[in-house]
Amino acid sequence: MRLGKYLITATAIAALGAVALTGCSSDNKSGTSSASTGSLTVAKPDGAAILATQINNPFITTGSGMSLGYDRMIYEPLAIVNPVGKNETTPWLASKVEWNSDYTQLTVTPRKGVKWSDGKPFTADDIVFTFNLIKNTPALDLAGLKLTDAKKVGDNVVLSFSESKYVKQGDVLGTTIVPEHQWKSIADPSKDAVKDAVGTGPYTIKSFSSQGVVLKSRTDYWGGTVPVAQLNYLEYNDNTGLLRALQSGETDWAQIFITDYQKNYVDKDPKHNVFWGANVLSPDMIVVNTTKAPFNDVAFRKAVNMVVDRQAHAEKARSNAGPELKSVTGIPQPTGDQYIAPEYKDQTFKIDVAGAKKVLSDAGYTWKDGALIDPKGAPVSFTLQDPQGWNDYVTGIQLAATQIKNTLGADAKVATPDADTWFANMASGNFDAALHWTGSGSNPWHIYDDVMNSSYLDQAADGKVSDNFGRYNNPEATALLKEYAQASDDSVRTAALNKLQKIFVDDVPAIAIGTHPQLAEYNTRKFVGWPSESDQYATADPTQPSAVQVLMKLKPAGK
């Protein structure tokens, strides 16, 4: 996120034309309606097992609260960083956040007039407690905050870190704040289910059962009147079941991939049904194993990069859920336009079969009966793999394999192992190539960190890595990633990012193939004010931290 200033306040955000939080003032006035009304049903396709046990602990990502997303309506963060639109930051439980020049220290002003759902006041002590809890309980440090100190200074809270948090501002600001008066007596905060969920958010749990979760709106919420009186959270066994529920209107708000979403969802009620793929800074890439043939050869990587059909990927694999990926830097547009280096501003991917064959022939490759032969005389063969059932990804690798085989003559195969096997293969390096997403943040650092940072190789445990699955090892790229992350000056960051883009374009550590939007489906039959392509104040994914922001922006339809 490129911030001209380090100070972010609710007033500053509004002045910049960013999203205004409906009823976020401390006087509890709301601009939506005089009382909460109606209900919305929110759903996921993860199966009934999610509802077998009630787990409201926001630090347990696999628990019912975080999996379904209802924890987002109970617990709240200091601020919300928008991954789309203008990448603006909206203060939430903080009325003001201010970073020092090198982003190693954050000063937080707690919002006044906030109460926990059990009636006790929210204070600076809760923020200090939460961050110290994370610091002293490594299992809770899901974002690797590397916090060194959290303390009160006057009315504020000062958080100090052992490294610059510039590239991970969203992780710090998005930290879920929990009440000290409840959590100080929890023996193991990394495992406790926290059945009695006490939060600052607009909802409390009305009921929990294997059939679903019902939340009821608070009448004393600090943000004013909560637009929707009740939220019903449901689980379906799979995408097919959830799609039927969306089509029939049984479910109002969800996040699933829909093949031909226009026909299969929007057209079922074109006046009200909306599908939006928010184009965040996270492209899909063909991650290639750079430690083994044929992808250990930059010439082969370049050739493949020159022949993959990104338009077909957008249309057939992603059903046009997001725009075609066009920039040779791999940076999705238009969100990432501001970051693209000057030399690549107008450079877009083009299919160039003749150029790709010249790259290969110049590197010593030949062809025999149409089959590509490497410089050592062996036929070129490799396998693309993604989990069975991941229809968009499997279609993506099938398209790529066919295109590479037809244009270059390489024997490109497709494999579809189960998801557990696939994840294990990626971590251990037991693969040739796979279609994979990249990290998403408020700047492109996360994109390149995922596929170019050799620090992950140094941190490998039993030969397994947590990122940079392609095992690309380039000391210059690693140093530039570190320089960008630790810089205290925008010009230094820009210079480092421009060099990273050049390495990515020239050395092809991975093959950027498509955008990876945050998908969402909703309808406007009962409520309006949702984020959309024309109003990108947040993504519409109900499982993201911004879900509470979306909820508070809604207004009853027709009012």
Side-chain angles (χ1 to χ4, degrees):
M1 169 174 34
R2 289 185 176 175
L3 300 176
K5 298 181 180 179
Y6 307 120
L7 177 66
I8 304 169
T9 66
T11 302
I13 290 296
L16 287 170
V19 55
L21 168 62
T22 302
C24 74
S25 60
S26 58
D27 60 6
N28 271 7
K29 292 181 180 178
S30 172
T32 56
S33 63
S34 58
S36 302
T37 182
S39 67
L40 285 174
T41 298
V42 191
K44 289 285 296 299
D46 301 331
I50 295 296
L51 293 171
T53 305
Q54 182 178 4
I55 301 177
N56 307 320
N57 186 330
F59 297 108
I60 300 179
T61 58
T62 56
S64 58
M66 290 301 288
S67 293
L68 265 168
Y70 68 80
D71 269 2
R72 302 297 192 188
M73 301 299 175
I74 298 172
Y75 305 99
E76 297 183 303
L78 296 174
I80 298 172
V81 179
N82 186 6
V84 292
K86 297 179 180 178
N87 292 156
E88 67 271 18
T89 296
T90 301
W92 209 259
L93 282 182
S95 60
K96 180 172 67 177
V97 292
E98 184 175 10
W99 291 96
N100 66 352
S101 62
D102 64 0
Y103 288 83
T104 58
Q105 192 173 84
L106 176 68
T107 300
V108 178
T109 301
R111 188 178 294 278
K112 296 179 180 179
V114 178
K115 289 183 179 181
W116 294 100
S117 54
D118 61 4
K120 291 183 170 57
F122 160 77
T123 70
D125 292 324
D126 294 307
I127 299 175
V128 172
F129 171 81
T130 298
F131 278 92
N132 278 328
L133 183 69
I134 293 172
K135 176 176 176 286
N136 298 326
T137 315
L140 301 186
D141 194 5
L142 305 177
L145 297 183
K146 297 188 177 180
L147 179 75
T148 58
D149 189 47
K151 62 184 179 182
K152 285 199 302 184
V153 178
D155 294 332
N156 296 328
V157 172
V158 176
L159 305 173
S160 300
F161 305 89
S162 62
E163 63 180 18
S164 172
K165 295 287 109 177
Y166 179 81
V167 298
K168 294 188 175 181
Q169 294 174 63
D171 293 323
V172 177
L173 298 174
T175 299
T176 296
I177 307 300
V178 296
E180 180 181 15
H181 65 271
Q182 180 190 30
W183 282 64
K184 65 183 179 182
S185 60
I186 293 178
D188 188 347
S190 68
K191 295 180 180 178
D192 197 293
V194 192
K195 293 291 181 67
D196 181 18
V198 176
T200 57
Y203 290 89
T204 57
I205 297 175
K206 180 179 180 180
S207 66
F208 182 99
S209 73
S210 59
Q211 303 304 307
V213 185
V214 179
L215 302 187
K216 63 178 180 180
S217 63
R218 290 175 56 180
T219 58
D220 61 346
Y221 180 53
W222 62 268
T225 301
V226 183
V228 186
Q230 182 170 294
L231 297 179
N232 308 310
Y233 284 82
L234 303 177
E235 272 289 359
Y236 291 86
N237 288 331
D238 51 32
N239 278 16
T240 301
L242 179 48
L243 176 57
R244 282 197 293 264
L246 283 165
Q247 291 170 334
S248 68
E250 180 179 285
T251 288
D252 300 302
W253 192 7
Q255 177 263 102
I256 58 168
F257 174 76
I258 301 175
T259 301
D260 196 353
Y261 68 85
Q262 185 69 36
K263 174 184 175 182
N264 291 318
Y265 175 59
V266 176
D267 288 348
K268 300 299 181 183
D269 184 354
K271 184 178 178 180
H272 300 106
N273 286 354
V274 179
F275 174 97
W276 183 41
N279 193 21
V280 298
L281 290 174
S282 175
D284 277 337
M285 299 209 191
I286 297 177
V287 174
V288 297
N289 193 332
T290 62
T291 67
K292 56 185 292 192
F295 291 107
N296 60 347
D297 184 358
V298 64
F300 186 70
R301 299 199 299 266
K302 283 184 175 181
V304 171
N305 193 44
M306 294 168 72
V307 300
V308 290
D309 191 339
R310 293 167 176 89
Q311 182 178 353
H313 182 84
E315 293 176 353
K316 298 177 181 178
R318 302 296 297 175
S319 291
N320 288 317
E324 179 184 342
L325 185 69
K326 293 186 176 182
S327 173
V328 295
T329 65
I331 297 175
Q333 299 168 283
T335 307
D337 281 341
Q338 61 179 313
Y339 300 105
I340 296 175
E343 65 180 301
Y344 301 121
K345 284 289 185 185
D346 300 317
Q347 290 197 32
T348 58
F349 288 118
K350 296 179 178 64
I351 296 176
D352 184 3
V353 178
K357 287 185 173 181
K358 184 177 188 307
V359 167
L360 290 173
S361 58
D362 287 348
Y365 288 79
T366 56
W367 285 264
K368 183 178 180 180
D369 298 327
L372 182 64
I373 308 298
D374 72 19
K376 294 182 179 180
V380 176
S381 177
F382 67 91
T383 300
L384 281 153
Q385 62 173 270
D386 273 279
Q388 56 185 331
W390 290 18
N391 295 339
D392 48 341
Y393 279 78
V394 171
T395 300
I397 59 175
Q398 289 172 336
L399 287 169
T402 299
Q403 180 77 353
I404 294 166
K405 185 181 297 184
N406 290 344
T407 57
L408 300 181
D411 183 18
K413 304 181 181 69
V414 167
T416 56
D418 63 82
D420 288 342
T421 300
W422 183 78
F423 279 114
N425 288 344
M426 298 300 292
S428 63
N430 183 28
F431 74 100
D432 299 323
L435 187 54
H436 203 286
W437 57 92
T438 65
S440 174
S442 53
N443 54 65
W445 180 88
H446 301 268
I447 298 173
Y448 300 128
D449 176 70
D450 265 16
V451 295
M452 298 169 68
N453 195 341
S454 60
S455 295
Y456 293 111
L457 309 184
D458 300 331
Q459 299 162 8
D462 298 323
K464 297 179 180 179
V465 297
S466 60
D467 240 321
N468 188 7
F469 299 113
R471 290 160 168 75
Y472 178 73
N473 194 346
N474 183 326
E476 181 186 3
T478 302
L480 286 168
L481 286 162
K482 184 176 181 180
E483 182 180 349
Y484 183 95
Q486 296 182 347
S488 58
D489 182 83
D490 270 347
S491 63
V492 175
R493 278 187 285 269
T494 298
L497 187 60
N498 290 351
K499 292 176 183 177
L500 283 166
Q501 291 175 55
K502 182 168 179 56
I503 293 173
F504 183 81
V505 172
D506 291 346
D507 215 26
V508 197
I511 299 163
I513 190 169
T515 55
H516 185 83
Q518 283 190 11
L519 308 179
E521 298 82 21
Y522 58 83
N523 65 69
T524 60
R525 286 186 286 273
K526 293 184 283 188
F527 293 92
V528 296
W530 302 88
S532 64
E533 190 67 26
S534 61
D535 188 10
Q536 298 188 26
Y537 66 84
T539 72
D541 183 341
T543 67
Q544 295 300 309
S546 58
V548 65
Q549 183 182 24
V550 172
L551 192 286
M552 290 303 295
K553 283 277 286 183
L554 298 182
K555 299 179 182 180
K559 292 187 179 181

